Amino acid sequence: MTDSNEILSIRNLYKVFGDKPEEAMQMLKDGLHKDEIFEKNHQTVGVMDASFSVKKGEIFVIMGLSGSGKSTLVRLLNRLIEPTSDTIELNGKDITSLADQDLLEVRRKEMSMVFQSFALMPHMTVLRNAAFGLEIAGTPVKERESRAMAALEQVGLGEHASSFPHQLSGGMQQRVGLARALTSNPTILLMDEAFSALDPLIRTEMQEELIKLQREQQRTIVFISHDLDEAIHIGDRIAIMEGGRIVQVGKPVDILLNPADDYVRSFFKGVDVSKVLKAGDIAAPDPSSIVRLNGRIQMPNNPANHEYGYLVDENGCLKGVLELTRMGSSPNPDALEDAQCAGYQSIESGRSLNELLGIVAKNPYPVPVVDAAGVFKGAISKSQLLQTLSR
Amino acid sequence: MSDFNLLDPFQFLSIPLGDWVESALNYLVQNFRDFFRAIRWPIDQVLSGIDSALHAMPPMVIIVLVSLFGWQIAGRRMGIFCAVVMFCLGLIGVWSESMTTLSLVLTSVFFCVIFGVPLGIVCARSDKVERMVRPLLDAMQTLPAFVYLVPVVMLFGIGDVPGVLVTIVFALPPLVRLTNLGIRQVPEDKIEASRAFGATPKQMLYKVQLPLATPTIMAGMNQTLMLSLSMVVIASMISVAGLGQMVLRGIGRLDMGLATVGGVGLVLLAILLDRLTQAMGQRSEAGITCHWYETGPVGFFYSLFRKAANSR
C-alpha cells in the first residue's frame, strides 16, 4: 500500500488516556464501546483505530466536533502525546519507535505545528518568534534570521519583524505562527484549528493565503478544523472524525455525494452544495449529443433524443453548440454553419455551481463545460442542476 | 511523689527539652566544628567582598551608579528618586551603617538566589520534590524570626556571618515558592509549542519557562529582599552591625535620636530596595515594546552612538 506519493501513513492508531491502557485496549478488542470502558475502568479512549494516509502536497483536513479526538490525533502525529498502539510512518520512517534525540530531530526538521491559540513567545520579537524553531535546532543566528525574515515576508509581515507579538492583531499573530512553522521548512505542516480563533473575515483571508501558499510551495498540510465550510474550502481530502473514530476519508465532493453513514450525512446537511460542487463534478458527457469534427462531420448515433449537440474537434476541444433539429440527418458544412448557436457560452469545470446558476438559467441549451485546456467535459442542463441542488 | 494532682499534672510530668537540646547542640558543636566552619567560609568571603567594595567607593560614586541603575530599569524618575534617597541617607549621617546593612542584605539575597531559584525550578518540575519541600518552607516561614537566633548562635556564634545565615534561612521561602509558582504558571500552549518545535527540557527552561516566569520570580526577589532587610535588623541582637544595631543601641540607652536616625535610615533603604525590585518585576511583566538597550542611560548612549555612526 506504500504509494510513492504517500508522505505520512497511519495505521491502527490508538490512544487511551488513563493508567491502565492495556486493559482498555483489550476491552476495545472485545468490542466494547468507549463509554462502557470509561464506566468500568475510567480509561478514556481518545483515538481508536485511526488509519489514513496523507499524500505529498495535499491539504488533508481532519474534521470533527469538539471531543471527537481530532486535536489528540494531530498531537499523536508528532508525539506530543504518546500513542498507545499504532504505526505512524513519515516518508517510510516509523515515528513511534524513535528514540528521544531522533524524535527531536523530526520535530525540528520534518513537522512543525501551528496552534489555535497562536502560542507565540511574548518575550521575543516577531522575528525571533519566527526563528524559534531554528533557534531550538541550533542554527547560527545570521542564517536563522534571514530564513525567518523570508518566512515573514511570505506571510506579509516583513515590516513587523522587530515588533512584539502583543502589538499585533490576532490575524497577524497567527501569521507569525504560520511563519514560525514555515521557517524550518518542514515536510509536513500540522495546523491545529489554526484559524478558529480568528474572526470570519480574517479567517477567510488566511484560508486563501494558505491555499495560495500550498499551491506555490507544494506544502503538505494536515489541518484540523471543526468548521465544515473551512474543511471543504481548503481541503483536498477530508477525514471525518466522531468519538475518536475516523468515520470517512475522501474528497469533499465524494463525502458530500456518498456519505458513509447517517452521522456524516447529518453533518453535511447544512452544507451549501452549490459552493462545494464544481461544474466538472456534475457535468457528464453524453456521447449521443457530440458532433465530432475530424476531417469530416461525424454525427452521433441517435441524435433525435437531443435538441442540442456539441461540436468537438479531433482534440476533444469544444468548437460550438448546435441545434440538432436544424441539421437534418445528412450533415454538410452549410447546415453545420446554419445550426450553430451564435455566441454560445461555456463554463470552466473548476467553477462552483452557485456561480453558474445564472448562465444555465439564461441559455436555452444545456451549458457545455470545458476544462482549462478547452476540452469538452459534458453539459449541465437546468433540470440536472436543480436536481443536484435539491439533494 | 504521692501528691500527683490530675488538675495540674505538670508538677509531676515534664520533659527536659532544654537539656536534650543543649546536649544535642553540644554534641554537634564538638563533632561537626569543621562542617560549620565550612558553611561560614563562603558567606564570609562574599560578605567581606561586598562590604569592602561598598565602603571603599566614595559615596558620590555609589549614588551615581545606583541612580544610573534605577534609570536603566525604570526610567528617569526612578533614577532621580534613587539619587534623592541615597543622598538623604548620607545627609542624616548613616552612610557607613547603611552600606553595612546593604552589604548584609545583598549577601543574603545573593545566597537566596543561588539556592532558592534552582530549588524552585526543581520543585516546579517534580511534584514529589514539591511535596517534600513545601512543609519545610512552611516551617521556615512560620517560625518567628526571633526563634531562629537560638540554634544559629549555638552553632555559629555571634557576628555578621551567623546574622547573614539566619537571614538566608528566613528570606529563602518566598523565592522558592514564587519561582515554583511562576514556572508552573507558564501557559500550557507555550510549553506545547516549544515541545512541538523540538525543544529539549533544558532549552524549554532557559528559552521559555524562565523568561515567562520572570515577573513572578522578581516578585519573589522583592519579598526575599524585604524579608532580608527585616531579618538583618532583628539579627542585630546577635551583634550584627549596621542600621539595626543603631536602633538597638538607641533603644537600650533610651537615646531616641540615635534610634530614630537608624530607623529612618532603614525605612529609606527599604523603600529604595522595594521600588527597585518592583520596577524590575514590572519591567519584565508590562508589555515590552522595545529592547532594553533602547531605554535608559544605555539607550541614551546607544542612540548617540548610532547617530554618530549614521552621520559618518
Side-chain angles (χ1 to χ4, degrees):
Chain A
M1 216 184 89
T2 38
D3 192 333
S4 61
N5 256 341
E6 248 168 47
I7 198 159
L8 182 72
S9 76
I10 282 118
R11 282 190 298 281
N12 311 107
L13 182 67
Y14 283 88
K15 174 64 194 177
V16 178
F17 293 102
D19 46 358
K20 291 171 284 193
E22 294 83 12
E23 284 177 35
M25 286 293 291
Q26 190 53 52
M27 291 164 98
L28 275 175
K29 273 190 197 125
D30 297 342
L32 268 73
H33 192 256
K34 64 179 230 168
D35 292 345
E36 294 173 289
I37 295 175
F38 182 73
E39 232 164 71
K40 281 193 188 152
N41 219 348
H42 291 281
Q43 309 290 301
T44 313
V45 181
V47 172
M48 53 180 157
D49 203 11
S51 304
F52 62 87
S53 57
V54 179
K55 293 190 195 118
K56 200 171 164 65
E58 75 172 347
I59 302 187
F60 187 86
V61 181
I62 299 172
M63 131 109 238
L65 300 179
S66 50
S68 61
K70 55 191 191 306
S71 286
T72 308
L73 181 58
V74 75
R75 280 165 177 72
L76 291 172
L77 297 184
N78 60 358
R79 278 176 62 192
L80 283 181
I81 301 175
E82 284 295 331
T84 311
S85 127
D86 74 306
T87 22
I88 300 173
E89 277 183 6
L90 176 71
N91 275 338
K93 183 165 54 180
D94 186 6
I95 302 270
T96 20
S97 59
L98 286 182
D100 286 356
Q101 193 54 45
D102 298 329
L103 179 63
L104 288 185
E105 285 303 307
V106 165
R107 286 180 183 164
R108 286 171 184 179
K109 302 224 169 89
E110 312 268 6
M111 295 188 183
S112 29
M113 199 160 171
V114 183
F115 296 85
Q116 178 177 12
S117 59
F118 318 145
L120 299 176
M121 304 301 161
H123 60 288
M124 298 180 181
T125 60
V126 166
L127 183 66
R128 210 178 142 209
N129 261 298
F132 185 73
L134 294 178
E135 183 179 337
I136 293 293
T139 314
V141 181
K142 277 235 172 80
E143 188 195 336
R144 73 181 186 229
E145 292 201 335
S146 69
R147 277 169 69 179
M149 200 62 211
L152 284 175
E153 300 279 1
Q154 250 171 47
V155 299
L157 279 180
E159 66 269 38
H160 292 279
S162 57
S163 312
F164 284 89
H166 67 97
Q167 295 170 304
L168 305 181
S169 68
M172 288 157 102
Q173 289 191 26
Q174 193 56 301
R175 280 163 197 266
V176 180
L178 189 58
R180 176 173 66 178
L182 289 174
T183 305
S184 42
N185 196 19
T187 318
I188 290 193
L189 208 58
L190 305 174
M191 305 188 70
D192 179 25
E193 304 239 6
F195 303 150
S196 301
L198 305 174
D199 57 64
L201 221 70
I202 307 283
R203 192 191 305 178
T204 321
E205 197 184 305
M206 291 291 284
Q207 288 167 357
E208 295 306 328
E209 195 125 334
L210 188 71
I211 293 173
K212 199 182 99 204
L213 206 79
Q214 197 265 349
R215 232 176 257 150
E216 282 168 3
Q217 310 185 344
Q218 290 298 305
R219 294 267 169 205
T220 310
I221 302 172
V222 176
F223 195 99
I224 306 293
S225 178
H226 63 248
D227 180 351
L228 191 57
D229 288 328
E230 183 173 76
I232 291 171
H233 183 52
I234 65 173
D236 292 320
R237 287 194 304 146
I238 304 182
I240 310 273
M241 279 192 88
E242 192 232 342
R245 206 183 277 282
I246 291 187
V247 192
Q248 191 173 8
V249 183
K251 292 200 170 110
V253 178
D254 296 341
I255 299 181
L256 187 67
L257 296 180
N258 310 301
D261 61 10
D262 286 343
Y263 178 78
V264 179
R265 187 169 299 125
S266 67
F267 213 85
F268 274 73
K269 204 165 243 166
V271 173
D272 187 353
V273 186
S274 67
K275 275 188 191 161
V276 182
L277 291 180
K278 305 271 185 279
D281 296 327
I282 62 167
D286 181 354
S288 64
S289 68
I290 297 176
V291 179
R292 289 192 185 281
L293 264 182
N294 39 1
R296 63 193 186 86
I297 303 162
Q298 195 181 345
M299 286 297 285
N301 286 334
N302 46 355
N305 293 351
H306 295 281
E307 221 177 317
Y308 293 96
Y310 302 93
L311 193 60
V312 171
D313 71 4
E314 59 266 42
N315 296 324
C317 290
L318 183 72
K319 287 298 170 199
V321 178
L322 304 169
E323 278 187 67
L324 289 182
T325 42
R326 288 173 58 182
M327 275 188 58
S329 52
S330 55
N332 56 47
D334 286 342
L336 198 67
E337 196 68 36
D338 250 13
Q340 287 246 17
C341 300
Y344 72 93
Q345 276 183 302
S346 64
I347 307 165
E348 263 205 49
S349 59
R351 297 179 72 182
S352 60
L353 292 193
N354 63 345
E355 290 176 83
L356 49 96
L357 292 175
I359 304 173
V360 173
K362 206 170 62 191
N363 289 304
Y365 48 87
V367 183
V369 176
V370 293
D371 69 6
V375 174
F376 180 62
K377 287 290 175 191
I380 300 175
S381 68
K382 293 188 185 74
S383 63
Q384 198 184 353
L385 187 60
L386 282 176
Q387 263 171 22
T388 313
L389 291 181
S390 69
R391 179 193 64 106
Chain B
M1 300 277 178
S2 57
D3 51 352
F4 175 71
N5 186 353
L6 203 59
L7 291 177
D8 184 11
F10 306 118
Q11 299 278 342
F12 181 71
L13 299 169
S14 69
I15 294 173
L17 181 65
D19 297 344
W20 291 354
V21 170
E22 197 145 332
S23 51
L25 282 175
N26 276 334
Y27 175 80
L28 281 177
V29 171
Q30 264 157 28
N31 293 284
F32 295 93
R33 190 178 293 271
D34 291 341
F35 173 69
F36 295 117
R37 268 182 199 283
I39 294 182
R40 283 183 70 120
W41 187 80
I43 298 177
D44 206 4
Q45 296 301 308
V46 174
L47 179 62
S48 55
I50 295 179
D51 192 56
S52 53
L54 285 180
H55 279 102
M57 274 191 274
M60 221 45 213
V61 173
I62 295 181
I63 291 177
V64 169
L65 284 179
V66 171
S67 308
L68 283 177
F69 181 67
W71 181 15
Q72 181 64 54
I73 62 171
R76 211 159 298 178
R77 287 176 62 178
M78 180 59 83
I80 294 168
F81 175 80
C82 289
V84 170
V85 170
M86 296 290 280
F87 206 75
C88 287
L89 279 177
L91 279 183
I92 59 174
V94 293
W95 183 264
S96 166
E97 285 84 353
S98 308
M99 288 305 109
T100 307
T101 300
L102 192 61
S103 60
L104 289 162
V105 168
L106 289 181
T107 308
S108 53
V109 167
F110 172 78
F111 282 102
C112 281
V113 171
I114 284 188
F115 293 113
V117 174
L119 189 59
I121 292 170
V122 174
C123 284
R125 300 200 145 196
S126 146
D127 289 336
K128 214 163 153 192
V129 174
E130 197 205 6
R131 267 201 302 278
M132 281 176 352
V133 169
R134 186 180 285 252
L136 206 70
L137 294 181
D138 286 339
M140 280 159 85
Q141 259 186 324
T142 44
L143 221 59
F146 208 70
V147 179
Y148 280 113
L149 299 179
V150 181
V152 171
V153 171
M154 290 293 277
L155 295 174
F156 295 93
I158 56 169
D160 286 350
V161 174
V164 169
L165 201 74
V166 110
T167 309
I168 293 169
V169 176
F170 185 69
L172 190 62
L175 190 58
V176 179
R177 275 181 213 276
L178 286 167
T179 304
N180 176 22
L181 183 73
I183 290 180
R184 281 173 188 267
Q185 270 178 346
V186 171
E188 194 51 46
D189 62 334
K190 314 274 193 276
I191 302 290
E192 194 176 42
S194 57
R195 285 220 299 143
F197 282 95
T200 59
K202 196 171 146 199
Q203 284 176 323
M204 188 138 72
L205 181 68
Y206 286 115
K207 290 188 193 295
V208 181
Q209 289 175 311
L210 279 183
L212 288 180
T214 306
T216 320
I217 296 177
M218 287 319 285
M221 274 282 286
N222 174 270
Q223 292 285 304
T224 292
L225 202 68
M226 291 297 102
L227 286 180
S228 299
L229 194 61
S230 73
M231 194 62 197
V232 160
V233 174
I234 293 174
S236 63
M237 277 187 290
I238 56 170
S239 126
V240 168
L243 291 167
Q245 194 147 55
M246 285 181 78
V247 179
L248 192 70
R249 220 184 302 142
I251 292 172
R253 294 183 199 155
L254 282 182
D255 183 346
M256 281 310 120
L258 185 65
T260 309
V261 169
V264 170
L266 276 170
V267 169
L268 288 177
L269 203 58
I271 292 175
L272 181 74
L273 294 176
D274 183 49
R275 283 291 152 82
L276 275 178
T277 42
Q278 271 194 26
M280 282 159 90
Q282 275 159 9
R283 196 194 129 66
S284 44
E285 187 171 25
I288 327 158
T289 49
C290 51
H291 300 277
W292 66 271
Y293 55 77
E294 285 170 358
T295 59
V298 178
F300 182 68
F301 290 114
Y302 181 69
S303 66
L304 279 185
F305 172 75
R306 282 248 292 245
K307 253 181 227 155
N310 287 343
S311 64
R312 214 179 293 146

